[in-house]
Amino acid sequence: MAVRQDIHNSEIPVLCRACEARHRGVCGALTPEQLVELSRHTTKRKVEAGAVLVSDSDTIDSYANVLAGVVKLTKTLPDGRQQIVGLQFAPDFIGRPFKRESSITAEAATAVRVCAFPKTSLDRMISQAPELGHRLHLQALNELDEARDWMLTLGRKTASERVASFLHLIARHGDPEAESDGEISFDLPLTRADIADFLGLTIETVSRQLTKLRKDGLIAVENNRHVTVFDVGKLERRANI
Amino acid sequence: MAVRQDIHNSEIPVLCRACEARHRGVCGALTPEQLVELSRHTTKRKVEAGAVLVSDSDTIDSYANVLAGVVKLTKTLPDGRQQIVGLQFAPDFIGRPFKRESSITAEAATAVRVCAFPKTSLDRMISQAPELGHRLHLQALNELDEARDWMLTLGRKTASERVASFLHLIARHGDPEAESDGEISFDLPLTRADIADFLGLTIETVSRQLTKLRKDGLIAVENNRHVTVFDVGKLERRANI
DNA sequence: CGCGGCATTGAGATGCGTCAAATGCGGTGG
DNA sequence: CCACCGCATTTGACGCATCTCAATGCCGCG
């Protein structure tokens, strides 16, 4: 994969070249000089599925960008019931600006690559680069829209509609332009347990609804993880979009 | 509406004096001159319960601050099932910056007073007053935290826990410092139907859970709307906080 | 005093959860 | 390459929490 060949490319830190976050993510707000400055404190990390990135009620001292893989944001009741309150894909930003404590846990749902940097570095940079603050603001608003969409799903949809909504979410994430009468296939980034935690259901109910979709001829499932949706429009009707 | 020209108070527009949004709300980010500028296009409105402030899929051309009363943010499925995805109290800001269309409906839950101003005025001001953008960012992050808290409630709590959580939310909003072994009483800003839409339950289930709380000696209810919580700590335990 | 809207209560239906067993899949080692 | 093991997933039977439908009660207001 070739690095973009523009004249000033030399100024972009090696670490940041070919990084998606520099284009669509928050780093796109930074000048080459600021990128250099930030990259001085930056580390790329590989994280295996299941590893915890930020733990509930920890004081946060670092932020990160997702470079690859899927990160789940979860909340847990004292007795262990868990709910996924958000999914982060590349090049999403992970972290809660302007607050010392996180109220949620961030955990790798798949193998993940992140680019992590100390909170202080970015916080300092926000005051210098207004565009950076703006991008973070946009991301927060976007996550807010998503959270509220999902509240409707959790509060008012049936199990069948929830599972269809989830498949639709994942499908659309892979191909936002998917024709509503087209076929589309993808790998699920979550286990059944995670899907259940995302949908506010049990593993068994998720499984039953998936087999129902299969028997109704809407989807095919191979090796548990790979899903083909035959008709996105029909799926949307199931999801009550 | 002439502005008096004396040295101290002079600079603050009449409209804005004694307005809560100037202290704890977004207007606190503005200089007196900016307040004057903004207030030129501003109107205070009284809105009766049930009136719609912003309608789903309308193009938004105005923002507002809540001055008094409670505004509910709702989402609705094609078949009419509804979910309240947020409650706004004074001095909250209503509106979705950086987007032309709203994906939610804002409706007065009680009688409400708002201070409304055209989108363009505020959008222009954001670029001039970075502190304003910052306050809006903080509000978005705050709403995001609240939305995610509520996702846990919707996805994983029982009816009994949900109703307790709701009472706790309202109680805490009136008195954030409430002693956890103290008594506290307040008026519910929502009808049973609205509470049900907030909790993802039916009216009947909400009613049954309220009478259960009453029979268990945790609360008293007068005239359907006025609630006394005898022991906030016990309520929290019910809510699984 | 009666009417209309909101809330409560009751009885019965059902969707989803719980518990338990069976199946399938991937990885490991012979 | 195959046999085996452990874990994820599916399937089944059953129970219960919540929904649905219906009747009754309550309160403010004309």
Side-chain angles (χ1 to χ4, degrees), chain B residues 38 65 131 149:
Chain B
L38 184 60
N65 278 316
E131 174 63 13
D149 278 347

Side-chain angles (χ1 to χ4, degrees), chain A residues 6-45:
Chain A
D6 50 289
I7 300 174
H8 305 296
N9 211 358
S10 56
E11 299 157 10
I12 309 265
V14 181
L15 205 60
C16 304
R17 292 185 203 164
C19 172
E20 205 182 347
R22 216 185 83 239
H23 299 299
R24 300 192 294 120
V26 290
C27 294
L30 299 175
T31 64
E33 296 77 43
Q34 289 167 329
L35 272 178
V36 170
E37 168 63 17
L38 185 60
S39 70
R40 231 192 290 284
H41 311 287
T42 282
T43 53
K44 279 191 180 171
R45 286 200 290 141

Side-chain angles (χ1 to χ4, degrees), chain B residues 57-115:
Chain B
S57 83
D58 269 8
T59 65
I60 329 166
D61 42 30
S62 72
Y63 295 129
N65 278 316
V66 180
L67 303 181
V70 179
V71 173
K72 56 181 178 172
L73 307 178
T74 65
K75 283 185 165 269
T76 308
L77 289 173
D79 63 7
R81 280 172 285 171
Q82 201 174 57
Q83 176 68 40
I84 294 182
V85 297
L87 290 178
Q88 310 273 85
F89 303 85
D92 288 344
F93 174 85
I94 300 179
R96 173 56 167 91
F98 316 125
K99 215 178 176 191
R100 288 204 52 75
E101 286 205 359
S102 176
S103 57
I104 60 186
T105 296
E107 196 178 325
T110 64
V112 163
R113 279 189 308 120
V114 295
C115 181

Side-chain angles (χ1 to χ4, degrees), chain A residues 195-208:
Chain A
I195 297 172
D197 282 347
F198 192 37
L199 297 175
L201 299 170
T202 59
I203 299 179
E204 295 94 326
T205 300
V206 171
S207 177
R208 278 186 252 270

Side-chain angles (χ1 to χ4, degrees), chain A residues 170-198:
Chain A
I170 300 297
R172 286 296 285 270
H173 193 272
D175 180 1
E177 328 272 281
E179 293 297 328
S180 84
D181 61 343
E183 177 174 317
I184 188 171
S185 86
F186 49 87
D187 279 321
L188 292 175
L190 303 184
T191 64
R192 298 293 186 274
D194 282 340
I195 297 172
D197 282 347
F198 192 37

Side-chain angles (χ1 to χ4, degrees), chain A residues 34-208:
Chain A
Q34 289 167 329
L35 272 178
V36 170
E37 168 63 17
L38 185 60
S39 70
R40 231 192 290 284
H41 311 287
T42 282
T43 53
K44 279 191 180 171
R45 286 200 290 141
K46 266 200 160 78
V47 180
E48 72 213 13
V52 173
L53 297 169
V54 182
S55 176
D56 183 349
S57 82
D58 269 9
T59 65
I60 328 167
D61 42 28
S62 73
Y63 295 130
N65 278 316
V66 180
L67 302 182
V70 179
V71 173
K72 56 180 179 173
L73 307 178
T74 65
K75 282 185 165 269
T76 308
L77 290 172
D79 62 8
R81 280 172 286 171
Q82 200 174 58
Q83 176 68 41
I84 293 182
V85 297
L87 290 178
Q88 312 271 86
F89 303 84
D92 289 344
F93 174 85
I94 299 179
R96 173 56 166 90
F98 315 125
K99 215 177 177 192
R100 287 204 53 74
E101 286 205 359
S102 176
S103 58
I104 60 187
T105 297
E107 195 178 327
T110 64
V112 164
R113 278 189 307 121
V114 296
C115 182
F117 31 84
K119 195 174 193 302
T120 47
S121 306
L122 196 78
D123 284 346
R124 190 163 0 99
M125 225 156 255
I126 290 175
S127 39
Q128 293 161 18
E131 174 63 14
L132 178 59
H134 181 64
R135 292 241 187 169
L136 289 170
H137 191 177
L138 287 181
Q139 156 132 357
L141 287 168
N142 196 39
E143 286 180 24
L144 181 57
D145 287 345
E146 285 172 9
R148 286 176 170 166
D149 278 347
W150 213 248
M151 286 175 76
L152 178 61
T153 299
L154 292 174
R156 289 304 186 197
K157 289 192 184 175
T158 65
S160 156
E161 292 165 336
R162 292 185 204 199
V163 171
S165 297
F166 171 72
L167 292 179
H168 187 253
L169 176 82
I170 300 297
R172 286 296 285 270
H173 193 272
D175 180 1
E177 328 272 281
E179 293 297 328
S180 84
D181 61 343
E183 177 174 317
I184 188 171
S185 86
F186 49 87
D187 279 321
L188 292 175
L190 303 184
T191 64
R192 298 293 186 274
D194 282 340
I195 297 172
D197 282 347
F198 192 37
L199 297 175
L201 299 170
T202 59
I203 299 179
E204 295 94 326
T205 300
V206 171
S207 177
R208 278 186 252 270

Side-chain angles (χ1 to χ4, degrees), chain A residues 211-226:
Chain A
T211 64
K212 187 148 181 297
L213 284 171
R214 199 154 36 75
K215 289 188 175 157
D216 291 354
L218 278 160
I219 63 171
V221 181
E222 294 157 79
N223 301 336
N224 289 338
R225 286 286 190 133
H226 191 79

